[in-house]
Amino acid sequence: MDAGDEAPTDTHCPYCALQCGMALTPAGGTVDVAPRSFPANGGGLCQKGWTSASLLDSPARLTTPLVRTGGELHPATWDDALDVIAARLTALQAEHGHDAVAVFGGGGLTNEKAYLLGKFARVALGTAQIDYNGRFCMSSAAAAGKAAFGADRGMPFPMTDLADADVIVLVGSNPAETMPPFLQHLQGAAARGGLVVVDPRRTPTAEQANVHLAPAPGTDLALALGVLHATVAEGLLDGTYVAGRTAGFDEMWRTVARYWPEHVERITGVSAADQRALAHRLAGARGAYVLTARGAEQHATGVDTVSAWINVALAHGLPGRAGSGYGCLTGQGNGQGGREHGQKADQLPGYRALADPAAREHVAGVWGVDPDSLPAPGRSAYELLDALGEPDGPKAMLVFGSNVAVSAPRSQRVADRLGALDFLVTADVVLSETAAMADVVLPVTQWAEEDGTMTNLEGRVLLRRKAIDPPDEVRSDLDVLAGLAERLGQPAGRFPADPEAIFTELRAASAGGVADYSGVTYERLRDGEALHWPVPATDHPGTPRLFLDAFAHDDGRARFVAVDHTGPAEPPDAEFPLQATTGRVLQHYQSGAQTRAVPELAGAVPEAHIEVHPDTAARAGLGAGDRATVESRRGAVTAPVRCVASMRPDVVFVPFHFPGGQRANLITNPALDPTSRMPEFKVCAARIVPAADVPAGTVSAPGSRTSDRQDKDGES
């Protein structure tokens, strides 16, 4: 690690979508982290942010390419590793067609990486088989936002606007653990008695709320319908706003009319009085916001659930009004930008639709290719993973910035499909559970070792700056894609490796699109300008607040979307009488591949746990600290019990950051939302038993490649 001139570099945290401001200072072979004043974090950092530099020189760091030979991963040169990859991909596509190779990206990749990855898949590989882990994060809110407003930007207003709100309703969000610095933006509403949290668990965020509503998992949609019914029935509807700025109310009301609060109370467990009280809170607020997150989205009816809460916001006249609104709390570091630039199966840069002929023509012109050469939309994330190695599925996959062996639903099935591939490549900073299964592992740069842009949860484009040099044998993902593209026959220069050059091309590709970055430049970002997209010209100030004059539909009106409650795809029954849900803990992030390698974080929370009500534990013959197993129809996860008196007696909770037999996603249901293709992570039928009662072999961890394929791949 190069200490340079010891000068601090202003940059941003590598973790969540707040993208907190921080300064990095090389100091004697290490890097000191300090928070800096920035609107997202106001000079604060969470434990993950404070320890973020630990991974830069961690013993867990990958520092040389690895190629599997004789069944084992061995160090290799970069030329050898890239030559092996290019040769295997070329051979597999020659035998099975372009779609024999899949690409899987991540919501933590910079805008430049997401853009180049989508271009690489569609131009260098010619494959339709590309998606990314943001499908598991933001896809339901994105689809609902687009249907309602005509455009999707997680928060269509600066998060600092929240400070003046009288009421903030958080649905399925636990920022006290997922993004702690965000809590400062909620303090104003809390001080005014207006912070409402909707969550089946009494989370640390719910503990700080003025009102906590705890619906049964999978019933958030019904709760929204009850609140909406109360809004209309109690004369609280903002009729002027509805008549002047929306469409579709009458059709929506035909469904909602059946969901009077007493009926909804029987579905959700939330009292009719509390539903009416929330409607009155929203109606009486000078400024109010409804914010949704993963708890609302990660369902087989996630789009409908988010749509129902957007309907509540529209009924109270909140969206498109200064000081009020609807927003979604994006999770991953570049969850917003990651879905705007083409690594999603159905999208092109600028949030353009891949199936739109005009969009294809525009982007193909920037890329210098025939629009007809671009493939059609491919499989969504889980469907892509589920098809790996199948007769009609991909035979090889390249994974950038994702640990699907832990993070995907029904994770044992996904691990089995990874093992069925002829060839697997990962680019990562540590040997994650997915990387450990790969045939080639490429060590890539971390956030502090490269320049690049991110787009945070409020649509603000940020410049993350290089502070130190990477280890000698570590390269950027951009270098990897450029090197592979040339080996696959692409002209020199079509895939540049310089992030600013790529961003210049991204600007042209996004021009005129919904997410228009054409007016954003590195120079403007270096100068500290706050640029929220769309920014259609270099003299445009950006758009911090969307929809103030009109929504993005042709008629300028927002849409009420009629939705109905159907409940979880897998309700509890006599065999599996409980409902299992998943989520995060403060010290860990996503699949935990990075945070589990940070000693302070791993020491604080070294393993998973199972939260359950004491009575539920006692009925299963369990007490606090006992090892228990939560079983579903797909698998079982084993961990120590935590008895939590505030838990609903019908719910068990497991965090999803841990590998092996503690993978929460061994039990989750891969049922998909029909629109967003979001899996139902947040609820499945389950039971809890003492760990010793589980038959041996119920759960298996991701393994290595089969010996036959290892030998074959080693010879290639």
Side-chain angles (χ1 to χ4, degrees):
M1 170 179 310
D2 184 5
D5 58 5
E6 310 295 322
T9 300
D10 287 348
T11 188
H12 296 272
C13 180
Y15 290 114
C16 80
L18 281 185
Q19 287 297 286
C20 293
M22 59 169 54
L24 303 182
T25 304
T30 62
V31 176
D32 290 338
V33 174
R36 62 183 175 89
S37 181
F38 185 71
N41 57 310
L45 290 175
C46 74
Q47 191 174 5
K48 292 186 289 290
W50 276 112
T51 60
S52 55
S54 299
L55 201 61
L56 295 170
D57 58 358
S58 167
R61 180 80 188 270
L62 291 169
T63 57
T64 188
L66 303 173
V67 175
R68 192 176 296 278
T69 56
E72 301 291 337
L73 288 170
H74 295 284
T77 68
W78 271 99
D79 281 341
D80 286 347
L82 295 177
D83 287 346
V84 167
I85 296 169
R88 293 289 286 130
L89 299 185
T90 299
L92 287 167
Q93 288 191 316
E95 182 177 356
H96 301 286
H98 288 293
D99 285 351
V101 178
V103 177
F104 202 92
L109 301 178
T110 63
N111 289 318
E112 292 81 359
K113 293 177 183 179
Y115 170 82
L116 204 67
L117 194 63
K119 178 181 176 182
F120 176 83
R122 296 181 174 104
V123 176
L125 292 173
T127 181
Q129 305 305 307
I130 175 172
D131 213 274
Y132 79 125
N133 62 17
R135 179 77 72 166
F136 301 153
C137 179
M138 286 294 299
S139 57
S140 290
K146 187 174 181 180
F149 308 126
D152 155 52
R153 198 178 86 190
M155 288 177 63
F157 46 82
M159 69 186 86
T160 51
D161 284 3
L162 296 171
D164 295 326
D166 294 327
V167 175
I168 296 175
V169 182
L170 286 177
V171 184
S173 178
N174 181 21
E177 294 192 275
T178 60
M179 48 178 65
F182 183 75
L183 290 179
Q184 64 188 281
H185 303 295
L186 309 178
Q187 290 172 355
R192 300 177 191 103
L195 181 58
V196 180
V197 170
V198 178
D199 198 305
R201 299 170 58 225
R202 191 161 182 80
T203 64
T205 305
E207 291 282 357
Q208 299 184 43
N210 305 105
V211 177
H212 173 214
L213 306 180
T219 65
D220 296 33
L221 195 163
L223 178 58
L225 297 178
V227 174
L228 190 51
H229 187 287
T231 297
V232 178
E234 308 259 328
L236 306 174
L237 184 73
D238 188 335
T240 301
Y241 175 96
V242 169
R245 299 204 62 188
T246 74
F249 176 83
D250 290 342
E251 182 181 357
M252 177 275 298
W253 176 246
R254 280 194 285 272
T255 299
V256 176
R258 295 186 282 109
Y259 285 90
W260 61 96
E262 286 76 11
H263 173 50
V264 170
E265 180 176 342
R266 292 193 291 272
I267 298 171
T268 65
V270 176
S271 73
D274 283 342
Q275 296 171 52
R276 293 188 172 98
L278 179 53
H280 279 273
R281 280 178 181 273
L282 289 168
R286 174 180 49 86
Y289 292 88
V290 175
L291 306 176
T292 62
R294 305 303 81 69
E297 297 172 54
Q298 290 179 328
H299 296 276
T301 55
V303 175
D304 287 353
T305 301
V306 176
S307 293
W309 285 102
I310 291 175
N311 288 345
V312 171
L314 289 171
H316 288 277
L318 308 183
R321 197 179 88 200
S324 294
Y326 162 80
C328 173
L329 300 184
T330 309
Q332 295 187 78
N334 202 30
Q336 181 68 56
R339 66 183 184 272
E340 296 169 357
H341 300 302
Q343 63 174 332
K344 188 165 173 275
D346 57 353
Q347 284 181 352
L348 289 170
Y351 227 140
R352 288 181 160 91
L354 180 57
D356 178 4
R360 294 168 68 89
E361 182 175 2
H362 173 83
V363 174
V366 174
W367 290 349
V369 299
D370 184 342
D372 292 338
S373 71
L374 300 179
R379 296 176 172 94
S380 71
Y382 180 76
E383 292 164 306
L384 175 57
L385 297 172
D386 192 52
L388 298 176
E390 297 286 7
D392 63 343
K395 313 303 178 188
M397 186 165 73
L398 286 72
V399 181
F400 289 78
S402 189
N403 186 17
V404 293
V406 175
S407 63
R410 201 181 178 189
S411 59
Q412 188 57 52
R413 162 72 180 178
V414 170
D416 292 342
R417 298 328 309 153
L418 292 171
L421 286 168
D422 289 348
F423 193 60
L424 175 63
V425 178
T426 64
D428 213 327
V429 299
V430 296
L431 194 67
S432 70
E433 288 70 26
T434 304
M437 300 181 69
D439 298 290
V440 180
V441 180
L442 302 175
V444 292
T445 48
Q446 295 190 54
W447 57 290
E449 300 164 347
E450 59 186 6
D451 288 329
T453 62
M454 309 284 280
T455 305
N456 76 351
L457 76 173
E458 58 188 359
R460 177 171 173 167
V461 186
L462 310 167
L463 181 60
R464 265 198 341 206
R465 302 186 185 192
K466 178 179 177 179
I468 58 172
D469 290 329
D472 290 342
E473 289 301 309
V474 171
R475 297 184 183 180
S476 166
D477 300 90
L478 303 176
D479 289 305
V480 171
L481 294 172
L484 285 176
E486 288 197 23
R487 284 169 171 81
L488 293 170
Q490 291 296 305
R494 176 169 281 174
F495 287 84
D498 175 68
E500 189 166 0
I502 296 168
F503 190 78
T504 299
E505 185 179 309
L506 179 157
R507 292 170 54 210
S510 74
V514 173
D516 190 334
Y517 283 43
S518 59
V520 182
T521 66
Y522 268 43
E523 182 179 3
R524 296 184 73 182
L525 297 176
R526 291 188 188 104
D527 288 342
E529 291 193 56
L531 298 175
H532 301 73
W533 68 256
V535 190
T538 54
D539 59 354
H540 190 282
T543 315
R545 295 171 186 85
L546 289 173
F547 313 136
L548 293 181
D549 298 320
F551 295 98
H553 291 296
D554 289 343
D555 60 3
R557 292 173 174 263
R559 302 287 191 267
F560 284 96
V561 177
V563 295
D564 205 347
H565 171 72
T566 57
E570 184 182 65
D573 55 26
E575 185 178 5
F576 296 94
L578 303 177
Q579 293 175 295
T581 190
T582 67
R584 300 183 187 178
V585 298
L586 171 64
Q587 289 79 9
H588 290 295
Y589 180 72
Q590 301 297 82
S591 74
Q594 297 177 71
T595 51
R596 285 187 273 113
V598 175
E600 180 179 328
L601 302 179
V605 183
E607 63 175 346
H609 60 270
I610 297 167
E611 287 186 13
V612 65
H613 191 279
D615 292 347
T616 307
R619 283 195 296 272
L622 293 161
D626 292 345
R627 294 193 72 80
T629 296
V630 177
E631 297 178 295
S632 76
R633 289 180 171 84
R634 288 154 297 281
V637 56
T638 298
V641 168
R642 288 187 186 177
C643 291
V644 180
S646 63
M647 286 287 288
R648 290 178 57 107
D650 57 349
V651 173
V652 294
F653 167 81
V654 185
F656 56 66
H657 312 290
F658 300 92
Q662 294 195 338
R663 282 175 290 162
N665 284 317
L666 288 165
I667 64 173
T668 50
N669 189 353
L672 301 180
D673 184 286
T675 301
S676 68
R677 315 310 288 167
M678 168 78 82
E680 187 150 85
F681 286 104
K682 289 301 183 188
V683 58
C684 68
R687 62 190 176 208
I688 186 169
V689 297
D693 292 348
V694 179
T698 299
V699 176
S700 59
S704 60
R705 320 286 286 162
T706 64
S707 57
D708 287 346
R709 182 157 46 255
Q710 288 164 353
D711 290 340
K712 179 180 70 175
D713 290 346
E715 294 168 358
S716 62

